[in-house]
């Protein structure tokens, strides 16, 4: 009755189905893990943004990688901007997530002889990308900045290629170690994403918006879809088997069509 399952076509179909089930289950767990990571990251961002501000020197130091648990912490720093070593970071989007421009990265010289990089915000790209753009002047004199502590960008954690041979004072990544090579003082690891400044200055770059830490993304829905697909494979296989069995039974029960006897020619 089910001998057709041993045919080449059905053996291949069955093996493909058996291979798809564990693959889809693993894909479902992969999406579940991405969901859990997203939820944990959102929780970390929210908690750190709500934490009281601390001096940046308490959370990082020259040559130190900012720990994940300290990213997005609100920090403060007091010093003077070193506009002579100011650079712009290429290929960054504005708050509308569409316009392409630059981040303005300015070292802040601290009173203890060290420095910290400050991302002062976003400016639109000009017509000539080979020249240093017109950048709003940083506040002169002593300034106190407040912002979000971020880890240094690398190709691995940002997905951005560190391009060489760029025009003067243009970079691809925000990286304290790279900028420390151009300064004559130690630079704290990571950087500050500016949210407030005293004094503020006039016509400053567009502040980097607060990260969206409420959206959990579609990963849980994708996980459920993969698991439903994996459950659907055996169900679909059973449906196809029953249909094949029914068609074969109907074909066997059908009456045989009598052979037509050719008409004999009659003599004139």
């Amino acid at each position: 009755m089910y001998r057709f399952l041993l045919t080449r076509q059905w053996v291949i179909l069955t093996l493909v189905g058996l291979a798809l089930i564990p693959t889809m289950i693993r894909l479902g767990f992969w999406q579940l893990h991405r969901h859990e990571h997203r939820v944990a990251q959102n929780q970390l961002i929210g908690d750190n943004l709500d934490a009281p501000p601390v001096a940046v020197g308490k959370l990082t130091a020259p040559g130190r990688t900012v720990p994940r648990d300290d990213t997005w912490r609100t920090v403060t720093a007091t010093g003077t901007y070193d506009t002579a070593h100011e650079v712009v970071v290429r290929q960054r989007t504005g708050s509308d997530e569409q316009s392409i421009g630059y981040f303005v990265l300015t070292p802040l010289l601290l009173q203890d002889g060290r420095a910290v990089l400050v991302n002062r915000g976003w400016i639109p790209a000009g017509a000539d990308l080979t020249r240093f753009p017109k950048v709003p002047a940083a506040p002169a004199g002593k300034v106190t900045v407040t912002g979000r502590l971020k880890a240094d960008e690398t190709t691995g954690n940002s997905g951005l290629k560190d391009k060489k041979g760029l025009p003067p004072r243009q970079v691809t990544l925000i990286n304290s170690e790279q900028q420390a090579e151009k300064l004559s003082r130690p630079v704290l690891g990571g950087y500050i994403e500016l949210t407030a400044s005293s004094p503020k200055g006039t016509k400053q770059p567009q502040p980097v918006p607060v990260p969206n830490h409420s959206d959990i993304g579609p990963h849980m829905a994708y996980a459920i879809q993969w698991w439903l697909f994996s459950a659907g494979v055996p169900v679909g296989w059973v449906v196809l088997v029953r249909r094949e069995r029914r068609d074969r039974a109907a074909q066997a029960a059908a009456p045989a069509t009598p052979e037509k006897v050719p008409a004999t020619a009659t003599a004139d």
Side-chain angles (χ1 to χ4, degrees), residues 73-223:
R73 281 291 303 272
T74 302
V75 294
T76 61
T78 300
T80 56
Y81 279 119
D82 180 7
T83 56
H85 293 94
E86 186 173 69
V87 298
V88 293
V89 189
R90 295 166 58 97
Q91 296 295 311
R92 300 304 171 112
T93 56
S95 58
D96 61 0
E97 299 184 354
Q98 295 180 352
S99 303
I100 303 298
Y102 304 99
F103 282 158
V104 180
L105 191 65
T106 313
L108 183 70
L109 307 183
L110 306 177
Q111 297 173 338
D112 61 5
R114 301 181 298 177
V116 62
L117 300 180
V118 179
N119 178 2
R120 296 201 291 124
W122 180 88
I123 60 173
D128 188 355
L129 301 180
T130 64
R131 302 182 60 181
F132 190 77
K134 185 177 180 180
V135 176
K142 187 176 180 180
V143 61
T144 297
V145 301
T146 302
R148 301 178 284 263
L149 181 62
K150 301 288 292 294
D152 285 324
E153 294 180 346
T154 64
T155 298
N157 64 27
S158 70
L160 300 173
K161 184 178 179 181
D162 188 12
K163 297 181 180 179
K164 306 299 181 182
L166 297 176
R169 300 175 66 187
Q170 296 190 26
V171 298
T172 305
L173 301 173
I174 304 177
N175 188 283
S176 62
E177 293 185 359
Q178 292 180 357
Q179 297 306 309
E181 297 176 358
K182 305 173 184 178
L183 300 172
S184 58
R185 61 178 65 205
V187 180
L188 302 183
Y191 64 97
I192 298 175
E193 198 171 74
L194 185 67
T195 57
S197 174
S198 178
K200 182 177 181 180
T202 58
K203 297 181 179 179
Q204 292 301 296
Q206 182 183 105
V208 179
V210 178
N212 181 359
H213 55 283
S214 60
D215 183 11
I216 60 174
H219 303 300
M220 177 57 76
Y222 290 160

Side-chain angles (χ1 to χ4, degrees), residues 26 48 64 68 113 153 162 183 216 240 259:
R26 284 195 296 268
N48 284 356
R64 181 183 180 187
R68 177 178 177 273
E153 294 180 346
D162 188 12
L183 300 172
I216 60 174
L240 291 177
E259 296 184 1

